[in-house]
Amino acid sequence: MKLVIQLVLWIVIIFLGYLVFNSIYEPIKFNEVKEARYAKVINNLKDIRDAELAHRQVTGKFVGDWDSLVRFIDTAQFTLTQRRDTTVMDEEYRKTYGVDRRIEIVVIDTLGYKSIKDSLFKGTDRYKTMMNIPIKGVDRKFDLTAGTVDKNDTKIPVFEAKVPKEVILYDQDPDLVNQAEEIVGVDEVPGPFISVGSMEEVKTSGNWPLKYGDAE
C-alpha cells in the first residue's frame, strides 16, 4: 500500500510540475510567435503606408481599393522638381509709381520624372502582395478604407489599413490572444488591431512601438 501511495504522489508531483512548467513556457512561446508575426504584418503595413502617401502626393487623395492602389504603383510617376530663389521686376509697382523695383520669388523647375514603383520598391514586386496578411494559414487581406475628415471646415484626406490580432494569432491559445487584445504599454501594440492611419483623425502613423521600426 505504501508503495502505491508513493507512486500516486510521484504522479501528482510530476503532473503539478508539468502544469507549472506549462504556465511559464506557454506565455513565453506565445510571445515569440506573436512578435515574429507582428513584425511581418508591420512590414506590409509600412509598404501600404508608403504607397498611400505616394498616391496622395500625386492625386491629392488616398485610395481605399487594392486594385486601384496596385495599378497606381504600376503606372504613376513622381515629378522631380528643384526650388530656386530669383528676382523679377515688379511690373505692377512700376506701372503704378513709375519706379523700377525687383521682388524675390521662388521658382520650381521640373527636372524630370521617376517611376513610383522604382522609387518605393526598388525593382521588386512586393507591392502586388502587400495587401495579403503574411501569416501562414491565413488567407485574408488587410482591411483598407479611405475618405476624408472635417477639420476647421476643410475636408482632409485620410486612410486606414488594419488587421485584427485574432486573425494574426488564429492558432494560438484564446486566453493569451484575449490578453494581447487588451494589453497596453509603450513596448506593446495596444488594442485589438494592428493598424496604420486612421479614419477618425488626421494621421498616417502606425500603432506599433518603436521596436518594430518607425511608426511615422
Side-chain angles (χ1 to χ4, degrees):
M1 178 64 70
K2 183 178 180 180
L3 182 60
V4 172
I5 294 174
Q6 288 178 335
L7 183 59
V8 170
L9 287 176
W10 273 112
I11 292 174
V12 170
I13 291 171
I14 292 171
F15 178 69
L16 292 175
Y18 170 78
L19 292 179
V20 172
F21 171 79
N22 234 28
S23 68
I24 298 172
Y25 176 75
E26 284 299 319
I28 292 174
K29 187 64 178 177
F30 173 81
N31 283 331
E32 290 176 353
V33 171
K34 180 189 73 174
E35 294 193 4
R37 293 185 184 181
Y38 280 11
K40 292 179 180 180
V41 165
I42 289 167
N43 282 339
N44 279 38
L45 287 173
K46 290 176 182 177
D47 280 344
I48 293 167
R49 176 181 57 194
D50 290 344
E52 286 283 4
L53 289 173
H55 192 279
R56 186 188 62 178
Q57 181 176 333
V58 173
T59 70
K61 61 184 180 180
F62 295 116
V63 61
D65 174 73
W66 290 120
D67 290 339
S68 297
L69 186 57
V70 170
R71 187 162 54 249
F72 166 79
I73 296 169
D74 268 330
T75 59
Q77 295 179 317
F78 284 127
T79 301
L80 305 179
T81 61
Q82 174 181 279
R83 295 169 58 92
R84 58 185 175 87
D85 298 327
T86 187
T87 59
V88 297
M89 188 66 67
D90 188 341
E91 297 294 343
E92 290 296 324
Y93 189 88
R94 184 166 62 178
K95 288 178 182 178
T96 303
Y97 300 104
V99 178
D100 289 348
R101 186 180 76 166
R102 301 188 72 82
I103 56 175
E104 292 186 353
I105 64 169
V106 175
V107 176
I108 299 178
D109 299 318
T110 299
L111 303 179
Y113 302 89
K114 185 173 182 179
S115 163
I116 288 177
K117 177 171 59 177
D118 293 337
S119 297
L120 297 183
F121 298 101
K122 312 301 181 186
T124 71
D125 63 354
R126 69 179 188 273
Y127 65 93
K128 294 181 179 179
T129 58
M130 66 184 177
M131 71 289 298
N132 298 326
I133 309 301
I135 305 301
K136 185 177 181 181
V138 176
D139 183 16
R140 175 168 168 169
K141 293 180 171 61
F142 290 93
D143 299 324
L144 179 68
T145 50
T148 60
V149 295
D150 290 330
K151 291 291 183 181
N152 301 321
D153 297 324
T154 301
K155 290 188 178 298
I156 301 177
V158 293
F159 84 98
E160 184 177 41
K162 64 182 181 180
V163 58
K165 290 178 179 177
E166 65 179 1
V167 172
I168 301 169
L169 303 169
Y170 73 98
D171 57 350
Q172 299 299 299
D173 182 277
D175 290 334
L176 294 176
V177 174
N178 288 337
Q179 292 176 28
E181 292 176 331
E182 298 172 357
I183 201 167
V184 293
V186 295
D187 289 328
E188 299 293 343
V189 179
F193 296 93
I194 301 182
S195 63
V196 65
S198 172
M199 292 301 295
E200 299 175 355
E201 56 183 311
V202 180
K203 73 170 190 175
T204 58
S205 58
N207 70 336
W208 54 85
L210 189 58
K211 68 181 181 180
Y212 292 107
D214 189 5
E216 299 294 331

